[in-house]
Amino acid sequence: MTATAVPVPEARVSWDARQWSRLLVLSGNMLLDAIEVSVILIALPTLSARFDLTPWGAQWLMSGFAIGFAALLLLGPVLCARIGRRRAYLGAMLLFGLASLAGGLADGPALLIAVRVVKGCCAALTAPTGLAIINDLFPEGPERRRALSVYSLFGAAGFTAGLLLAGGLLEADWRWVFVFPAPVALVLLIAGAYVLPRGQGGGPARLPRPGLLKRGALPRSALGAACLNGTYQALLVLVVFQLSEGFGWSPWRSALALLPACVPLALSVPFAGRFIARHGARRLVTLGALFPFLGYVLYLARPGSGSYALGTLPVLLLVEAGFCCAFVALNAQATAGLDPADRGPAVSLYQAAVQLGAAVLLPLVALLLTYGSGPRPAAALVTAVGALGLVAALARRPARTAP
């Protein structure tokens, strides 16, 4: 859940090959970042067995990426202001590729976790910087909205691609899960050095003002997004261990089983702007919190038991329905009513909250899964946080006169 674009259907626009190549390079990075999350998800049981890790120990491979992402996200604009967006973007992409190679050569979990933190820091630079470059390259209006639609679509599709890649790579060797991003990052680095325009300055350095967290719908949007992303990733960790240890499924079969939790989002993102225009962001955000909460309640009633078709699949479909409703609507609601000068810092705060949701909840859920009496305590925590997200969605801000 890293895209910040709000796709809105517009009149047809045409670009030349150079504009398309720039957009595809920047969107390719979004694809790679999303893959980084889902590919490790499927690999958790394999890596847990390989290094004799408990779920508590293995989850750091997931939360480490979120921790690195959240830690550097707010400082990214300052770094870009000092060295330029293009240089920051290409430098982070190079470090991302080198970290991937280091992960493939690692012989212990400590180095693998460190690699994941570093890659999260790189993603904290490349994702928002790429979005800022898109805003510079494409004029406001139909062109920019179409570009942001493509950018969002790549991010949504990346999670699905990561599941399928993990299923195949783990059949060969677990090291390929860490190595495969290196050549992809190299291609994006070379292409970016060739097509991205020079002179991409970052403007004046500006950290987000804490007062922004009291503005408009940003506080409840950030809280709702943190709950949604944190519970989503935590539930998938619970399900992956259930499929591997409880059902005895292979990584490839587990990857296929999780497709209902990601494919609908990739299919719905291009139409998100139309949904928001027709139904309103607030209604979609509320449904986006309600559906996952119902899924978590269903999972809590029968955690780790029953068949996949009658037990796990309905839960995944309900949670994914929430993502389809709220993924873009939360982004739109977060910056609605803010001054243009405050929207960039507000997006940084919002995305930091998204990553913190996973960084905080994943360790807690894994701790309960490891030392609790079965999966029910962990499922109860996920359900409680899902309820908090629903409360945030239903909360109404005080009425004020529009400027």
Side-chain angles (χ1 to χ4, degrees), residues 36-305:
E36 272 294 311
V37 177
S38 58
V39 73
I40 295 297
L41 171 67
I42 295 297
L44 285 182
T46 300
L47 296 172
S48 179
R50 172 67 176 78
F51 295 108
D52 194 24
L53 298 174
T54 63
W56 157 255
Q59 66 80 31
W60 291 108
L61 294 166
M62 284 278 292
S63 60
F65 186 85
I67 290 171
F69 202 122
L72 197 61
L73 189 60
L74 298 182
L75 296 178
V78 177
L79 182 60
C80 290
R82 292 185 176 181
I83 67 176
R85 289 173 180 161
R86 182 179 185 273
R87 189 176 298 174
Y89 182 90
L90 296 177
M93 187 62 69
L94 175 61
L95 182 58
F96 190 98
L98 294 175
S100 298
L101 290 176
L105 299 175
D107 56 0
L111 181 56
L112 290 177
I113 294 170
V115 163
R116 292 285 293 165
V117 173
V118 170
K119 295 173 84 169
C121 291
C122 294
L125 282 177
T126 55
T129 303
L131 183 61
I133 294 175
I134 287 177
N135 287 334
D136 287 344
L137 293 177
F138 297 91
E140 185 174 0
E143 287 196 46
R144 182 179 296 176
R145 282 190 277 267
R146 186 185 180 194
L148 295 178
S149 294
V150 174
Y151 186 77
S152 294
L153 179 60
F154 272 64
F159 198 90
T160 302
L163 295 178
L164 299 177
L165 272 172
L169 294 173
L170 288 170
E171 294 292 333
D173 192 286
W174 65 267
R175 294 184 183 275
W176 286 111
V177 170
F178 294 90
V179 172
F180 91 91
V184 179
L186 178 61
V187 170
L188 292 176
L189 173 65
I190 295 174
Y194 180 72
V195 303
L196 295 182
R198 297 183 181 276
Q200 285 284 329
R206 184 183 180 190
L207 288 172
R209 296 183 292 106
L212 279 176
L213 290 174
K214 301 178 181 179
R215 298 284 302 278
L218 177 60
R220 56 191 175 91
S221 298
L223 177 59
C227 293
L228 181 63
N229 188 49
T231 55
Y232 177 74
Q233 292 197 36
L235 175 75
L236 293 185
V237 168
L238 293 176
V239 170
V240 163
F241 277 103
Q242 173 192 349
L243 296 177
S244 175
E245 299 177 357
F247 293 176
W249 287 9
S250 67
W252 180 250
R253 191 176 180 186
S254 296
L256 294 177
L258 292 187
L259 289 184
C262 56
V263 171
L265 176 62
L267 297 177
S268 66
V269 160
F271 310 101
R274 191 175 305 170
F275 294 156
I276 294 174
R278 181 173 182 179
H279 302 291
R282 179 178 175 82
R283 181 178 299 175
L284 291 174
V285 167
T286 302
L287 291 175
L290 176 61
F291 288 142
F293 174 68
L294 295 177
Y296 303 144
V297 171
L298 179 60
Y299 188 78
L300 177 62
R302 296 178 300 176
S305 62

